Each structure stands twice: as structure tokens, then as C-alpha cells.
Amino acid sequence: MTEPLRADGQQAQRPVRTARLAVGGPVDQARHPRLPRLSLGVLAAVFIGGCVGGLARYELTTSWTTPARAFPWATLVINTSGAFALAVLLVLTSDALPPTTYLRPLLGAGFCGAWTTFSSITAGADQLIAHGAVGTGAAYVLGSAVGGLGAAGLGLVLTRAAVRRGRPVRDEELG
């Protein structure tokens, strides 16, 4: 195929097209997602909160022991109180307190993450069922789920109401 002729009778040159890769653009980011930046201070906050939360949980569960076939009340109290505390923290850090880098990692991921033992629900239920306490195991799983969701919901509602009561109402909130 020949190139079209220009007005002076010469053949026109087609521009050479080269493929360009957008460096740092959305396509490039989709292919090479950046790893999250981990701040040493934030990691230290999670570590400290985790140490304190884990120690507190250990102290409560060793002082409030549960026989093999009995309902694990200590773990249920720990999990529901942790769900409540995490909901309170979420509302306070998003609606009431000034922005901070360390509070949520310290208390949320660190303390509440180590304080709660949601991962032990299945292990506890398995132990109860293995000891022949099937009804207690089922009640424990149901109580943990309902109690955790209920405590989190209660924490959200109560803290939002307290935050609203403590600050002036803005025009946008009136409707």
C-alpha cells in the first residue's frame, strides 16, 4: 500500500506511532500495586496494645476458669466487651476526636485484637461438643455471635448519641 500524495506531488509520510506505557498511571498501578507503607511507630503501637490486651485477657481467663463441660462465660464476656469497645473506639476516632495516627492501631488492632478471642469460638465449641455438651457448644456459638453483634451495635448507638449530645447541631443535620 502506498502513502497518499501531498499537494506538491510527493508522498506523505505517516507519523510513526509508538506504544507508550503510562508510568505511575492507573494501569501501571493495577499491574504493580504498591505495598502498604508500614510505619515503625504504628507497628509499635499495635505491639504495645497487643501485649496489654493479651495480658489482660490471660489474667481474666486464668482467674475465671471454666470446667470442661461448662459454658465459657469468661470468653463470652471478653468477646462481647471487646466488640463493644471496638465500636466505641470507631465512633470516637471518626466522629469526636481529632485525627490521630496511633490511637486506632494501639487500641483497635492492638488491645482489642489481643483482648478478644473470636478465633477461639470454634475451638471452645469443639471442646464442648467433644465432651458431650452439644447444647452448651451450640449455645456458646449462638451467644458469641448474637452477643458480639449486639454489643457492637449497642456501642455504636450509645457512643453516637453521646457524641451528638456533646457537640452543637450543624445546619446540615437539621434537614
Side-chain angles (χ1 to χ4, degrees), residues 43-145:
L43 290 174
V46 173
F47 176 76
I48 292 167
C51 289
V52 174
L55 182 60
R57 183 189 74 226
Y58 174 78
E59 290 298 324
L60 181 64
T61 56
T62 55
S63 65
W64 188 358
T65 58
T66 304
R69 294 175 50 95
F71 193 90
W73 287 105
T75 305
L76 184 70
V77 167
I78 288 169
N79 288 340
T80 53
S81 66
F84 182 85
L86 197 53
V88 168
L89 178 68
L90 176 68
V91 173
L92 290 177
T93 57
S94 63
D95 294 350
L97 299 174
T100 176
T101 303
Y102 302 108
L103 190 61
R104 284 173 93 171
L106 175 74
L107 298 178
F111 183 85
C112 288
W115 170 251
T116 58
T117 55
F118 285 106
S119 61
S120 71
I121 292 172
T122 54
D126 181 56
Q127 289 175 357
L128 287 167
I129 292 167
H131 286 95
V134 176
T136 305
Y140 174 55
V141 170
L142 183 63
S144 294

Side-chain angles (χ1 to χ4, degrees), residues 7-26:
D8 63 0
Q10 300 290 329
Q11 279 193 330
Q13 297 289 326
R14 266 194 190 164
V16 178
R17 293 186 183 187
T18 59
R20 291 187 188 181
L21 295 176
V23 178

